Amino acid sequence: STWVLSSGGMGCVAVGLGLCYYFPATPSGATFAALLAYMAALAAGMGAVPWVMMGELFSPQAKGISSSLATATNWIFSFIITETVGYIRGAVHFYGLFWVYAALCFICMMWMAFYVPETKGKTLDEIQASFVVRTSTSVLAC
């Protein structure tokens, strides 16, 4: 899916950015190119797709509150990342900072590959049905 490719691309580029900072002799053009590649990978999936997925995953009855909670969660994690950059950089330098973020991107990629449903070409009812957990005695909606 687009998310998996985007997250994997961001992780690979973050590894490259870490290498750019680990080897100080790296030309600044390479670092700039890596930053552009990271922004392209972000824009191709992780930056835009979550907002599209909100419209596809949530039922009309839950869309308002669910979208609000998803947006609040996004901003909370953006704040956490912004606030922790200095601490992580102080502990593991700039190269380590990018490697930590690369690891998070790869973890995110694996989680999305296994747990986020593919919605391309599916109706809302088909998407909603993928969230139903069947037990031996009842049907529970997730």
Side-chain angles (χ1 to χ4, degrees):
S1 85
T2 306
W3 277 20
V4 173
L5 294 174
S6 174
S7 185
M10 290 168 53
C12 290
V13 174
V15 168
L17 280 165
L19 290 172
C20 287
Y21 282 100
Y22 188 77
F23 298 108
T26 303
S28 60
T31 305
F32 183 68
L35 284 171
L36 291 178
Y38 186 88
M39 291 189 315
L42 173 70
M46 293 296 288
V49 173
W51 305 106
V52 174
M53 291 284 290
M54 280 195 294
E56 294 178 345
L57 292 179
F58 301 136
S59 67
Q61 298 82 8
K63 199 171 286 194
I65 190 72
S66 300
S67 296
S68 299
L69 288 172
T71 301
T73 301
N74 180 23
W75 281 106
I76 289 167
F77 277 101
S78 294
F79 175 79
I80 290 169
I81 288 169
T82 303
E83 287 297 311
T84 59
V85 165
Y87 298 112
I88 297 171
R89 187 186 72 195
V92 294
H93 305 288
F94 256 131
Y95 56 85
L97 172 74
F98 285 108
W99 293 340
V100 166
Y101 289 148
L104 292 173
C105 285
F106 292 133
I107 291 168
C108 183
M109 180 183 73
M110 296 304 292
W111 182 81
M112 287 184 293
F114 292 108
Y115 295 108
V116 176
E118 179 60 57
T119 60
K120 185 177 181 181
K122 292 185 179 180
T123 65
L124 178 60
D125 290 333
E126 292 170 330
I127 295 168
Q128 293 298 310
S130 69
F131 290 111
V132 174
V133 177
R134 298 195 185 274
T135 65
S136 60
T137 58
S138 65
V139 175
L140 302 173
C142 292

